Amino acid sequence: MFYREAGDFKTSYTDDSQTFPIKFDRYRYYVVLVSAFAVVPFVVNDYWVNAVFLPFLIYAIAAIGLNILVGYCGQVSLGTGGFMAVGAYSVYKLMTSFPDVSILIHIILAGVITAAVGVLFGLPSLRIKGFYLAVATLAAQFFLVWLFNRVPWFYNYSASGQISAPERSFLGVPVTGAETAPWAAYLFCLVFVVASAIIARNLTRGMAGRKWMAIRDMDIAAEIIGVNPLKAKLTAFAVSSFFVGISGALFFAVYLGAVEVGEAFGINKSFLVLFMVIIGGLGSIFGSFAGAAFLVLLPVLLKNTLVGGLGWPTDLAAHLEFIIVGALIIIFLIAEPHGLAQLWRVAKEKLRLWPFPH
Amino acid sequence: MPDQLIFGMEVVLNGLMAGVLYALVALGFVLIYKASGIFNYAQGVMALFAAMTLVGMMEGRVPFSHLINAIFGTEIHHFGWHLPGLLAILLTMVIMVVLAWIVNQLIFRHLVNQEPIILFMATIGLAYFLEGFGDMMWGSDIKKLDVGLPQGINDWIDATTFEIMGYGFFIDNLDIVATGVAALLVIALVAFAQYSKQGRAMRAVADDHQAALSVGISLNFIWVMVWSLAGFVALVAGIMWGTKSGVQFSLSLIALKALPVLMLGGFTSIPGAIVGGLIIGVGEKLFEFAIGPMVGGATENWFAYVLALIFLVFRPQGLFGEKIIERV
């Protein structure tokens, strides 16, 4: 009925190659964008922003980044936490060293620095493949966390070893520090999320993305048809780390405000983002959002029902959360290895033919 | 002899002992990987779960008591009995076999023919599940595990080395026992794989699933057996580490210690796991001893990984791993 290619005539090549070729999809996308920018900021309160929206948006960026590496290029990385830490500490150093420069530029620069570090740790991927690579990226995770813990220059020699974000504003509105209004933090992150998603979407359907996917599907065959594995793998590491770095920077500067590296960017963070990518769907931008939403909402929901509703002790709820997350991952892998994105795709296929499937 | 050299020797000895413990965990990985191609991230959590169950059995704790108390408002904690160590170990082993069976039936049977990376993710899911489940079953407090293993400084070595070099080496009795047990375990496993019927079947499955099936080997049985064996190794590792530093969450992190060992030794080689363990154990202790103070210490967290990473760049299949041949 409403989900049809029919009647939606494309009269130019630009029309033909747009991101959402189906009219309904396109309108849905505009509706989501408008409500995210123009409705949500007016209705959210502090709790919703801090418990749901900010983590969702920030993890979505990280998941998009990791999805580019794992889902599109097939290089499994367990170093996401470490790369997020690079983003956080670079933005901290930049913010404190150049207080007059806009925070927007700081965050983008933090992404660039993380990309450089990512390329450095991506170099072994040219020799090492599969599990060996996954474990090798753990080297990045442990080494980076140790580095930020032990070298005082990174945390400006503060006594606690923590870093805390100084107050900065963007267009006259404070976005970091204690003065930040919830809607400002939300909008600031949203801008980055939308930009990341658009960039990632267009990269993955362009030449770079096709090269990544060729490498993922069979690297030797890709090499034979002329894909340079060095370039393809390293660009994937760079782009992926760029997004992960931005999400780390936002996670520290806008969301938490003060972090201790081992706690905020430990190995669990790497796994969390990886789970988001798997549950959402490997090789899908929508999947990154779906996975992030799922794993951000699940603990909130569980906590509210178990602790708030049933009056269980919090530690039991935490254990149950582990059980449920673990079981869900297994169930997802068995029932639908391609994740939530695949369910969405199947639903769309059904919608196209509905209500006359034959 | 100069002091530094003597300290260095002591560090090397301690490193060797630590390396044996790493090798013990790595062995569990190698067993499962060889037989089923599954890289079992949950090995560390299995060790934790085994140790928790053992403690729970010995102290007669009521499983899920916290949960039951929370729901029904009761106040139960212990059955009031204490099991002897050996019996508890046997019972725990039974539970690990049951666990192996459940894991195989509920998870890996449904994931046959999936990509290795999907299987790996499934084991991460399993690790999360077991972690939560173990905590819920036995409580997340730090438990003391004592099955009667000797602990503390070995006086004989202390006295002997003092006589010879004028400095007594500090070597923990537990480490010596662990080394002995690990050596025995390795010999037993190798003998099992080489000479027993089931062991040969296991190697056949490792070599080629379909060929093994066609000569009448039951894949299901072999997989349950391998997971049980891995559970047994996990139990031994859990006992050793649990006695050393208490049964607590950090026990599951020994899996992370075993990963670089595996990379170094090769995923498919039992001798590789042992040699890799020894290299990592000695390497990280020596590095911490020699370089650590210069860069702020606690290098043990990452040294093993970076060593393995650098090593892999030159030899991607590890020390003893099968050569990776790529076909299109």
Side-chain angles (χ1 to χ4, degrees):
Chain A
M1 288 283 233
F2 37 79
Y3 195 81
R4 291 282 184 280
E5 292 104 325
D8 187 7
F9 299 110
K10 312 281 195 307
T11 49
S12 68
Y13 284 117
T14 338
D15 280 354
D16 213 24
S17 60
Q18 58 192 323
T19 312
F20 295 105
I22 294 177
K23 209 186 242 163
F24 179 77
D25 257 350
R26 207 155 50 234
Y27 290 143
R28 181 184 50 82
Y29 167 67
Y30 292 139
V31 168
V32 169
L33 271 191
V34 167
S35 57
F37 273 103
V39 181
V40 175
F42 293 103
V43 295
V44 287
N45 58 16
D46 214 20
Y47 174 77
W48 274 89
V49 164
N50 280 324
V52 177
F53 280 108
L54 278 188
F56 162 62
L57 293 176
I58 291 167
Y59 280 127
I61 303 181
I64 288 172
L66 190 64
N67 215 337
I68 285 175
L69 193 60
V70 182
Y72 285 97
C73 196
Q75 314 292 310
V76 182
S77 164
L78 296 173
T80 319
F83 293 131
M84 280 176 84
V86 174
Y89 276 75
S90 354
V91 86
Y92 174 68
K93 285 307 280 185
L94 287 167
M95 278 163 90
T96 47
S97 310
F98 308 101
D100 297 329
V101 181
S102 162
I103 182 158
L104 193 73
I105 293 171
H106 284 154
I107 288 179
I108 291 171
L109 275 181
V112 173
I113 293 170
T114 316
V117 177
V119 168
L120 190 69
F121 279 100
L123 279 175
S125 71
L126 303 170
R127 291 273 296 171
I128 311 172
K129 282 165 193 164
F131 291 131
Y132 286 94
L133 179 67
V135 179
T137 53
L138 278 175
Q141 169 71 45
F142 289 115
F143 179 72
L144 290 169
V145 167
W146 173 85
L147 188 71
F148 295 130
N149 233 336
R150 295 285 161 171
V151 181
W153 181 78
F154 286 111
Y155 49 86
N156 281 357
Y157 305 93
S158 78
S160 59
Q162 278 196 340
I163 55 172
S164 48
E167 289 181 12
R168 295 283 180 274
S169 41
F170 180 64
L171 300 177
V173 183
V175 288
T176 67
E179 299 290 306
T180 315
W183 62 267
Y186 166 80
L187 274 184
F188 191 65
C189 288
L190 186 65
V191 170
F192 279 100
V193 172
V194 172
S196 307
I198 291 173
I199 294 171
R201 172 76 187 161
N202 284 308
L203 271 178
T204 48
R205 55 191 200 131
M207 188 160 76
R210 278 155 200 259
K211 282 182 178 170
W212 294 337
M213 286 186 261
I215 291 282
R216 169 192 69 188
D217 292 340
M218 189 182 271
D219 51 352
I220 295 178
E223 202 174 336
I224 288 166
I225 59 167
V227 176
N228 184 347
L230 174 84
K231 260 170 121 176
K233 283 183 183 173
L234 290 189
T235 47
F237 264 98
V239 173
S240 156
S241 311
F242 176 76
F243 288 133
V244 171
I246 283 187
S247 96
L250 290 174
F251 192 72
F252 153 66
V254 180
Y255 179 46
L256 289 182
V259 298
E260 202 278 311
V261 62
E263 247 170 66
F265 301 113
I267 177 108
N268 282 336
K269 196 108 315 172
S270 303
F271 281 127
L272 181 67
V273 179
L274 189 64
F275 287 158
M276 286 173 181
V277 172
I278 298 168
I279 289 188
L282 288 165
S284 154
I285 302 293
F286 169 77
S288 310
F289 281 97
F294 189 79
L295 281 185
V296 167
L297 283 175
L298 182 72
V300 175
L301 203 71
L302 275 179
K303 204 171 166 204
N304 279 339
T305 43
L306 291 180
V307 180
L310 296 174
W312 283 23
T314 38
D315 60 328
L316 265 186
H319 299 159
L320 193 67
E321 188 193 320
F322 267 104
I323 295 181
I324 291 180
V325 170
L328 272 176
I329 287 162
I330 295 170
I331 291 169
F332 259 102
L333 288 173
I334 291 172
E336 189 49 86
H338 302 289
L340 292 169
Q342 181 66 20
L343 295 179
W344 176 236
R345 254 174 245 140
V346 170
K348 283 204 291 194
E349 271 314 299
K350 290 237 161 77
L351 266 181
R352 274 182 65 216
L353 302 176
W354 186 82
F356 304 113
H358 297 292
Chain B
M1 240 188 271
D3 281 355
Q4 286 295 319
L5 194 68
I6 296 181
F7 288 149
M9 279 171 67
E10 190 185 1
V11 167
V12 168
L13 264 179
N14 275 316
L16 280 176
M17 308 254 179
V20 171
L21 284 179
Y22 295 156
L24 203 57
V25 185
L27 263 183
F29 281 99
V30 172
L31 277 174
I32 292 187
Y33 189 79
K34 262 184 91 95
S36 54
I38 296 171
F39 184 79
N40 180 23
Y41 180 78
Q43 187 68 31
V45 183
M46 273 164 69
L48 173 68
F49 184 75
M52 277 176 135
T53 312
L54 183 59
V55 175
M57 295 258 185
M58 283 174 68
E59 295 182 357
R61 292 184 184 220
V62 181
F64 302 108
S65 56
H66 201 38
L67 180 68
I68 296 169
N69 291 346
I71 294 178
F72 301 108
T74 48
E75 281 294 328
I76 46 170
H77 293 289
H78 291 84
F79 286 123
W81 69 59
H82 284 265
L83 287 183
L86 206 61
L87 185 63
I89 290 177
L90 280 177
L91 279 175
T92 310
M93 196 51 230
V94 172
I95 290 186
M96 293 312 279
V97 171
V98 173
L99 179 74
W101 186 79
I102 293 175
V103 163
N104 193 48
Q105 287 293 314
L106 287 187
I107 304 177
F108 290 104
R109 259 176 65 132
H110 301 283
L111 288 172
V112 176
N113 273 337
Q114 291 282 7
E115 305 253 326
I117 198 71
I118 300 280
L119 296 173
F120 173 57
M121 309 283 181
T123 63
I124 300 182
L126 176 66
Y128 265 63
F129 181 85
L130 265 186
E131 201 181 309
F133 189 73
D135 277 351
M136 188 168 260
M137 196 163 166
W138 302 112
S140 54
D141 51 321
I142 299 174
K143 304 171 190 65
K144 241 180 92 63
L145 175 63
D146 185 12
V147 288
L149 293 176
Q151 265 179 294
I153 181 168
N154 187 308
D155 296 324
W156 182 78
I157 291 182
D158 189 35
T160 322
T161 47
F162 189 79
E163 243 168 59
I164 300 171
M165 288 181 282
Y167 171 77
F169 280 15
F170 182 90
I171 308 259
D172 199 320
N173 269 325
L174 181 64
D175 286 340
I176 299 174
V177 173
T179 313
V181 170
L184 269 181
L185 198 63
V186 170
I187 293 169
L189 281 175
V190 171
F192 175 75
Q194 291 293 338
Y195 300 114
S196 75
K197 192 176 162 192
Q198 282 77 17
R200 285 190 180 143
M202 182 179 88
R203 286 195 298 150
V205 170
D207 215 34
D208 190 329
H209 286 182
Q210 272 166 0
L213 263 180
S214 66
V215 293
I217 295 169
S218 157
L219 279 187
N220 259 328
F221 171 74
I222 295 295
W223 281 339
V224 172
M225 187 185 79
V226 168
W227 276 85
S228 312
L229 271 181
F232 176 62
V233 175
L235 174 63
V236 175
I239 292 176
M240 296 303 165
W241 284 90
T243 313
K244 200 179 167 113
S245 48
V247 179
Q248 53 178 319
F249 169 70
S250 68
L251 191 70
S252 65
L253 299 180
I254 53 172
L256 296 174
K257 277 283 181 198
L259 291 178
V261 172
L262 283 172
M263 285 164 66
L264 206 62
F267 282 149
T268 47
S269 159
I270 290 181
I274 295 160
V275 176
L278 293 181
I279 293 178
I280 297 266
V282 173
E284 70 174 22
K285 289 279 186 312
L286 266 186
F287 188 79
E288 177 71 25
F289 174 69
I291 316 279
M294 283 180 239
V295 291
T299 54
E300 281 162 341
N301 285 339
W302 56 268
F303 174 76
Y305 282 96
V306 175
L307 180 72
L309 181 65
I310 294 168
F311 184 82
L312 277 193
V313 171
F314 295 102
R315 204 179 152 79
Q317 72 273 31
L319 265 179
F320 299 99
E322 286 157 21
K323 189 146 180 52
I324 302 164
I325 302 166
E326 302 205 45
R327 297 190 177 87
V328 178

